[in-house]
């Protein structure tokens, strides 16, 4: 890699750190640190939400799938976009009415403290594992392109993200995400996509040289498409990092419109990255590690200067998701566990210090896990499997079924999490069955326990803030 491209990427890291420091000056309260003061307009909201959705799996993973399967490799990102649009169209108003900071806090208000605790544990593990995938992705990019040792690459990428996230929380994350959104958009759509197609000989050559299955939307297999729906379509609806971004919007209209537009952008992004992977199959037909398809294609086809910019865009996608999920994980632990059980009367300034401390600890642990796992898609599958299988049903029934009880939600999350992890251990990480088992377990436990416990009556607020009766609480 040319020294000019290396300097561009290093300069980009420096810009992010600088922007993060500027953002830290606006994080004067806990709400500023966690939710950017609930004050983002449309462009900032749309940009930072899009940036957190599209990370390592969306870029490195989709290019790998495009290399192996063609256009149908886009289904991974398509399901991310589909899930985020479902959230925007059907749940935004219900979510914002609660004025909470986390998905677990919603479950605590809808059900009880125990449900808030167990869901916070599950959701924080999910968010942490997504952060792990981004650190792995950053390490892979820097390792392939600059030639740094993989461990050093992960430490550098993860360290930069951890630094600016600790400093300013959501304000630093938001400001860096806007820079990252612009860089990744220009890098992928303006430079990488057209130059990749040109290097492969144009679209006509793609049609001639690639197998027909590469142009089929079902080439990856219906089972795998359904797997992505369970993981990402459902997972996006109940992901803490996404909810936390929703809470940053200034108005409900901005939240809904920005979320839908972010979903549409995700669909286009997934298509573009898959096509880049297809081009890589022609230009680099004997690639040994397909996880390096995007980085290798960029090195092969892009001129000096543009290569550094495009790779900065890819790392932007990784960093934005990493910072968002890192903050999500620390918020869940700080707000729903430590504050609820150990620091009930903590003052705002102390809560801000606690948030930064927990973010530091989670960030260090994330880098350690990344060094251990070193596979993007494996880490992502584990994260979304637990989230989709264990948290989705209690959240949705909490919104739409007034008879759902606290005891049912609590045991549902525990039973489905155990079911999913056991299934993954027995059938393997790539199996769809454990997620189905987890969802089925969650539904059965929620319905049966709720119906059996209906004789215990106690009033709780419904999703509109009104009071209704007939809901059992586990701590009554």
């Amino acid at each position: 890699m040319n020294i000019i491209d290396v300097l561009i990427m290093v300069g980009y890291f420096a810009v992010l750190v600088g922007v993060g420091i500027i953002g830290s000056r606006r994080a004067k309260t806990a709400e500023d640190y966690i939710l950017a003061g609930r004050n983002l307009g449309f462009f900032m909201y749309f940009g930072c939400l899009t940036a957190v959705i599209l990370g390592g799996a969306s870029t490195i993973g989709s290019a790998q799938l495009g290399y192996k399967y063609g256009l149908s490799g886009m289904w991974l990102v398509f399901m991310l976009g589909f899930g985020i649009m479902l959230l925007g169209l059907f749940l935004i108003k219900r979510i914002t009415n609660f004025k909470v900071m986390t998905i677990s806090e919603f479950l605590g208000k809808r059900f009880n403290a125990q449900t808030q605790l167990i869901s916070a544990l599950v959701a924080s593990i999910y968010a942490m594992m997504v952060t792990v995938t981004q650190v792995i992705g950053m390490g892979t990019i820097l390792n392939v392109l600059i030639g740094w040792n993989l461990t050093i690459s992960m430490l550098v990428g993860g360290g930069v993200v951890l630094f600016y996230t600790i400093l300013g929380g959501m304000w630093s994350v938001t400001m860096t995400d806007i820079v990252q959104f612009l860089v990744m958009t220009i890098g992928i759509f303006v430079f990488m996509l057209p130059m990749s197609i040109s290097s492969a000989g144009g679209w006509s050559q793609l049609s001639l040289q690639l197998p027909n299955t590469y142009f089929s939307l079902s080439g990856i297999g219906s089972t795998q498409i359904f797997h992505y729906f369970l993981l990402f379509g459902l997972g996006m609806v109940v992901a803490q990092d996404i909810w936390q971004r929703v809470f940053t919007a200034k108005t409900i209209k901005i939240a809904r419109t920005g979320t839908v537009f972010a979903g549409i952008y995700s669909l286009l992004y997934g298509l573009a990255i898959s096509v880049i992977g297809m081009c890589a199959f022609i230009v680099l037909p004997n690639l040994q590690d397909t996880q390096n398809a995007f980085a290798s294609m960029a090195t092969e086809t892009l001129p000096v200067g543009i290569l550094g910019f495009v790779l900065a865009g890819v790392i932007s996608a990784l960093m934005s998701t990493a910072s968002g999920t890192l903050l999500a994980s620390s918020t869940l632990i700080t707000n729903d566990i430590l504050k609820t059980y150990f620091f009930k009367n903590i003052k705002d300034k102390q809560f801000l210090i606690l948030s930064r401390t927990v973010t530091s600890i989670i960030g260090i642990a994330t880098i350690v896990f990344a060094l251990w796992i070193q596979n993007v898609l494996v880490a992502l599958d584990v994260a979304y499997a637990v989230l989709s299988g264990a948290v989705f049903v209690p959240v949705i029934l909490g919104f739409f079924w007034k008879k759902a009880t606290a005891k049912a939600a609590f045991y549902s999350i525990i039973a489905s999490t155990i079911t999913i992890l056991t299934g993954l251990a027995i059938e393997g990480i790539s199996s769809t069955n454990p997620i189905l088992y987890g969802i089925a377990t969650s539904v059965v436990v929620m319905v049966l326990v709720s119906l059996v416990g209906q004789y215990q009556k106690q009033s709780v607020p419904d999703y509109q803030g009104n009071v209704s009766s007939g809901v059992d609480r586990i701590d009554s």
Side-chain angles (χ1 to χ4, degrees), residues 46 85 126 157 164 219 224 275 288 291 328 384 404 410:
F46 163 70
M85 285 192 285
Y126 144 77
Y164 72 72
Q224 189 62 46
V275 171
Q288 291 184 344
Q291 186 170 245
Y384 276 97
F410 178 76

Side-chain angles (χ1 to χ4, degrees), residues 435-448:
I435 309 170
L436 293 174
Y437 300 153
I439 291 175
T441 300
S442 189
V443 171
V444 170
V445 172
M446 279 291 292
V447 173
L448 289 182

Side-chain angles (χ1 to χ4, degrees), residues 344-357:
K344 294 183 179 180
N345 299 315
I346 192 171
K347 295 180 180 178
D348 189 76
K349 290 294 183 183
Q350 295 172 323
F351 186 63
L352 182 58
I353 294 172
L354 180 64
S355 296
R356 284 194 168 107
T357 303

Side-chain angles (χ1 to χ4, degrees), residues 31 34-35 38 92-110 116 240 242-249 331-332 335-336 399 461 463:
E31 189 167 86
I34 294 173
L35 300 176
R38 302 182 190 267
I92 287 294
K93 185 176 181 180
R94 298 172 187 272
I95 290 172
T96 53
N97 280 343
F98 265 90
K99 296 294 181 182
V100 295
M101 289 187 177
T102 67
I103 188 171
S104 301
E105 191 176 356
F106 157 71
L107 289 171
K109 286 189 173 185
R110 174 60 179 86
Q116 181 175 353
Q240 166 61 23
I242 304 303
W243 278 41
Q244 197 161 342
R245 295 305 175 99
V246 169
F247 299 145
T248 64
T331 300
L332 285 160
N335 185 71
D336 296 291
F399 277 128
Y463 65 82

Side-chain angles (χ1 to χ4, degrees), residues 415-433:
S416 55
T417 299
I418 293 173
T419 300
I420 292 164
L421 294 177
T422 302
L424 291 174
I426 295 173
E427 299 196 18
I429 298 298
S430 60
S431 176
T432 302
N433 292 333

Side-chain angles (χ1 to χ4, degrees), residues 61-199:
S62 291
Q64 180 182 12
L65 293 173
Y67 188 94
K68 295 169 66 175
Y69 302 105
L71 285 179
S72 62
M74 67 187 178
W75 279 108
L76 187 156
V77 180
F78 262 42
M79 288 305 175
L80 290 173
F82 178 69
I84 205 71
M85 285 192 285
L86 288 178
L87 178 68
L89 292 172
F90 300 109
L91 293 180
I92 287 294
K93 185 176 181 180
R94 298 172 187 272
I95 290 172
T96 53
N97 280 343
F98 265 90
K99 296 294 181 182
V100 295
M101 289 187 177
T102 67
I103 188 171
S104 301
E105 191 176 356
F106 157 71
L107 289 171
K109 286 189 173 185
R110 174 60 179 86
F111 297 116
N112 62 3
Q114 284 88 337
T115 306
Q116 181 175 353
L117 173 62
I118 191 64
S119 62
L121 289 172
V122 171
S124 63
I125 292 172
Y126 144 77
M128 183 177 177
M129 290 302 293
V130 175
T131 312
V132 168
T133 69
Q134 311 314 304
V135 176
I136 295 170
M138 284 183 275
T140 300
I141 293 290
L142 295 174
N143 171 251
V144 172
L145 300 172
I146 301 181
W148 292 348
N149 175 273
L150 185 59
T151 298
I152 297 298
S153 299
M154 290 186 189
L155 289 173
V156 171
V160 171
V161 170
L162 179 58
F163 179 76
Y164 72 72
T165 306
I166 291 172
L167 282 180
M170 186 59 81
W171 268 120
S172 288
V173 169
T174 297
M175 294 180 70
T176 53
D177 276 358
I178 293 302
V179 175
Q180 291 165 340
F181 170 72
L182 293 173
V183 172
M184 65 190 256
T185 299
I186 295 171
I188 297 299
F189 289 99
V190 176
F191 295 127
M192 187 65 180
L193 179 61
M195 288 184 177
S196 295
I197 295 175
S198 176
S199 297

Side-chain angles (χ1 to χ4, degrees), residues 250-296:
K250 187 181 296 186
T251 66
I252 292 178
K253 182 178 179 181
I254 289 173
R256 177 182 288 119
T257 306
T259 302
V260 172
F261 272 80
I264 294 171
Y265 180 97
S266 300
L267 304 184
L268 298 175
Y269 189 89
L271 179 60
I273 298 297
S274 296
V275 171
I276 291 170
M278 294 166 64
C279 295
F281 184 80
I282 293 177
V283 177
L284 304 166
N286 300 313
L287 198 59
Q288 291 184 344
D289 186 356
T290 57
Q291 186 170 245
N292 296 332
F294 187 95
S296 300

